[in-house]
Amino acid sequence: EHLDTLQISLSPGEHAQYTFPQLSFYKPILWWPNGMGKQSLYNVEITVNVKDYGESDTWSNHFGFRKIESTIDSSTGGRLFKVNGQPIFIRGGNWILSDGLLRLSKERYKADIKFHADMNFNMIRCWAGGLAERPDFYYYCDLYGLLVWQEFWITGDCDGRGDPVSNPDGPLDHDLFLFCARDTVKLLRNHPSLALWVGGNEQVPPSDINEALKNDLQLHPYFKDSSEG
Amino acid sequence: MAAIGKTVLDKGWLAARSTEVDLTGEQLTTGDPPSVADPRPPWMEASVPGTVLGTLLKNRLIPDPFYGLQNESILDIADSGREYYTFWFFTSFECKVSNNQHVDLNFRAINYSAEVYLNGHKEVLPKGMFRRHSIDITDFLHPDGKNLLAVIVHPPDHPGKIPPGGGQGGDHEIGKDIAAQYVEGWDWMAPIRDRNTGIWDEVSITVTGPVKIVDPHLVTTFFDDYKRAYLHTTTELINKSAQEAECSLNIQVSTEREGNVCLV
């Protein structure tokens, strides 16, 4: 039941999007953050075979079954998180990057992130002035159960504050910002540790960017009806 | 016929300051490849992925900026000009494919813009630190399988100046670009002199057949108190060939049990 095949036809040069029929899982082994349970991971493999050619391309990625929800608490103004329906007390660390010269080795990511888990943290916040972190960073967050709060690149450099005053309208090229944001989301979106996208540090982006990000990142209506019951 | 899949290009890279290289990208990738053993410098072993400053440190041409106050003795891009931290990166790789195979050259992140030369062919990579680039190089590959690749990487357009007192984000100019903003320095961080210019994430080539898988998206929905779950998978596909492609698109989800036993 965890296999499926689609027969499709592509015209010369065609760039198309396909959705598989949904795969059903009974009592899937859930992915939990550090301290709440195991970080169970499945492997998803997609292959495309072409008639008269054979295997044309393959893609595989580990995947965790989890549902992350967060809301702003009206009485405190704080953000409350639930994972798989269970409330979680967030113990987080702030993160800029692993190394200022961007020598971002797997070994160093593993050590850095395991250290956060060993400190009993369950979330890392990637600050807007640093990196949209790399797949290797997320891989170890998946493995050690660190939820990731990932911010886009809007800081005090983009809001008209500071001395000298910064550009009040964010980055000069808003279309380029959104292109990079969308591409980064595509790079990272399948990691179970990815918990929350945030527009920037201590502020919201310029209104056109903010609206576009909110619109692009909202849950597709198809999934709004699903309920954990 | 080359094997389907990805090969990471993280070895054998050389680098040189662009102002010290008198060859064009076409010349670099069609003549004798540069070497660190050349009697004429400026080529040195490069850190790819990494930054220009990382390459200079690897070759001991700057002191370690994170040791003591040594960062103070490294020339800042505001004083040197952007050309000083504009660098060529060069490597060679082997790849030979059959008629119906296709090859992409992939950069997972470059700060901030670049021009790529492969065997004399030029491709301009647009600006933006946080974006991927993928170039179909099938038609540019050398028939003998030996390929020369040169990339000239330009720093951010607005590297900014660091006020004498430092401060949060220097003069904030870096915020005009789509780039990391800590590099002008912050209350916890000295300025990064090259503003992290470089090929700072993975470089790879991917070999596929006529049809390529692009950016699959996995989403789960849950029902009955997490007893039932549905995995929704969407993917983009590109037919790179000039013929209609009859495809069989397969998905398989497995979990690893004890050792190497795989449960489907």
Side-chain angles (χ1 to χ4, degrees):
Chain A
E1 63 190 9
H2 302 153
L3 300 163
D4 207 348
T5 301
L6 281 179
Q7 300 300 328
I8 57 174
S9 177
L10 289 169
S11 308
E14 185 178 354
H15 186 159
Q17 192 176 65
Y18 284 90
T19 299
F20 284 94
Q22 61 193 23
L23 293 180
S24 168
F25 291 78
Y26 180 67
K27 289 188 176 176
I29 309 167
L30 300 176
W31 182 93
W32 292 96
N34 184 36
M36 287 183 81
K38 289 187 175 177
Q39 289 76 53
S40 304
L41 295 169
Y42 289 73
N43 189 52
V44 179
E45 187 170 329
I46 299 172
T47 55
V48 58
N49 292 287
V50 177
K51 189 180 174 188
D52 299 327
Y53 177 82
E55 185 176 289
S56 180
D57 199 6
T58 182
W59 176 90
S60 74
N61 207 56
H62 65 249
F63 180 74
F65 284 92
R66 94 291 186 260
K67 180 170 184 173
I68 300 172
E69 300 161 274
S70 77
T71 53
I72 301 291
D73 180 43
S74 57
S75 57
T76 66
R79 184 172 286 272
L80 304 177
F81 285 86
K82 280 184 179 179
V83 179
N84 302 331
Q86 303 298 315
I88 174 173
F89 183 78
I90 297 294
R91 302 176 299 274
N94 202 23
W95 177 274
I96 316 300
L97 32 63
S98 180
D99 174 66
L101 299 185
L102 306 187
R103 296 165 292 192
L104 309 175
S105 70
K106 288 183 173 63
E107 294 78 11
R108 185 153 170 166
Y109 271 136
K110 181 181 179 184
D112 287 349
I113 291 159
K114 185 172 186 303
F115 188 44
H116 281 70
D118 289 345
M119 288 192 291
N120 207 23
F121 281 3
N122 52 27
M123 180 175 275
I124 294 179
R125 174 234 182 178
C126 295
W127 177 65
L131 295 186
E133 265 300 351
R134 303 292 90 195
D136 290 333
F137 169 93
Y138 276 88
Y139 171 78
Y140 288 110
C141 288
D142 296 343
L143 215 58
Y144 291 113
L146 271 302
L147 299 166
V148 183
W149 165 310
Q150 178 71 62
E151 297 178 1
F152 294 108
W153 323 281
I154 300 286
T155 66
D157 289 328
C158 311
D159 64 354
R161 288 184 289 183
D163 180 17
V165 172
S166 65
N167 170 30
D169 196 28
L172 292 179
D173 190 337
H174 289 197
D175 290 339
L176 177 60
F177 181 97
L178 289 170
F179 181 93
C180 293
R182 290 179 179 119
D183 197 56
T184 301
V185 170
K186 285 183 178 179
L187 176 68
L188 303 173
R189 62 190 175 186
N190 292 322
H191 287 277
S193 56
L194 178 58
L196 187 70
W197 290 103
V198 174
N201 169 56
E202 300 171 6
Q203 64 195 293
V204 292
S207 57
D208 59 325
I209 291 179
N210 199 44
E211 286 307 307
L213 291 175
K214 284 166 72 174
N215 184 56
D216 285 7
L217 287 166
Q218 70 179 327
L219 199 60
H220 190 283
Y222 181 82
F223 300 111
K224 281 186 178 160
D225 293 335
S226 78
S227 160
E228 65 273 24
Chain B
M1 189 158 141
I4 298 293
K6 180 169 87 171
T7 304
V8 176
L9 305 180
D10 60 354
K11 294 187 174 61
W13 284 89
L14 303 178
R17 181 168 282 120
S18 65
T19 52
E20 297 173 5
V21 176
D22 49 17
L23 298 175
T24 64
E26 285 87 354
Q27 290 168 327
L28 275 172
T29 56
T30 50
D32 291 332
S35 158
V36 286
D38 280 350
R40 287 188 317 156
W43 292 96
M44 63 189 93
E45 290 181 13
S47 292
V48 175
T51 64
V52 167
L53 224 52
T55 288
L56 294 174
L57 179 60
K58 179 187 173 99
N59 290 276
R60 301 184 180 205
L61 295 171
I62 57 165
D64 189 330
F66 301 137
Y67 191 85
L69 295 177
Q70 293 185 153
N71 193 50
E72 296 294 319
S73 63
I74 302 172
L75 198 53
D76 192 86
I77 193 169
D79 303 315
S80 68
R82 291 173 69 250
E83 304 76 26
Y84 186 78
Y85 286 113
T86 300
F87 265 63
W88 279 104
F89 293 88
F90 178 91
T91 193
S92 59
F93 63 90
E94 296 213 359
C95 183
K96 196 172 183 178
V97 292
S98 63
N99 277 341
N100 46 10
Q101 288 190 313
H102 297 263
V103 185
D104 282 346
L105 172 64
N106 312 296
F107 297 91
R108 212 160 59 186
I110 288 180
N111 188 26
Y112 187 64
S113 60
E115 290 123 49
V116 175
Y117 295 85
L118 179 70
N119 302 328
H121 299 271
K122 179 182 177 182
E123 188 81 26
V124 176
L125 300 187
K127 298 169 183 178
M129 177 173 177
F130 298 108
R131 66 189 294 177
R132 297 170 295 169
H133 304 277
S134 195
I135 309 164
D136 191 331
I137 58 170
T138 312
D139 295 337
F140 308 148
L141 291 173
H142 207 279
D144 70 2
K146 297 185 191 330
N147 302 286
L148 305 182
L149 171 64
V151 186
I152 185 168
V153 178
H154 302 278
D157 292 347
H158 302 89
K161 289 182 180 163
I162 313 303
Q168 303 275 63
D171 67 356
H172 311 298
E173 283 291 293
I174 196 76
K176 292 179 176 175
D177 295 334
I178 316 299
Q181 290 155 22
Y182 81 98
V183 289
E184 279 203 64
W186 223 268
D187 47 10
W188 48 271
M189 180 64 163
I192 304 291
R193 300 308 189 189
D194 69 345
R195 309 289 188 266
N196 279 161
T197 301
I199 304 172
W200 67 277
D201 199 6
E202 182 183 275
V203 185
S204 66
I205 52 170
T206 46
V207 178
T208 67
V211 176
K212 182 186 179 187
I213 298 168
V214 179
D215 289 335
H217 188 196
L218 310 171
V219 179
T220 325
T221 50
F222 296 95
F223 298 90
D224 300 337
D225 200 18
Y226 296 89
K227 287 192 186 67
R228 278 191 301 132
Y230 294 100
L231 179 63
H232 309 261
T233 308
T234 299
T235 187
E236 294 172 44
L237 295 171
I238 303 175
N239 180 6
K240 295 185 152 212
S241 74
Q243 285 83 43
E244 176 118 355
E246 298 294 330
C247 306
S248 167
L249 185 61
N250 310 296
I251 184 169
Q252 172 179 314
V253 183
S254 58
T255 179
E256 193 171 300
R257 295 298 214 182
E258 301 294 319
N260 290 323
V261 178
C262 184
L263 181 72
V264 175

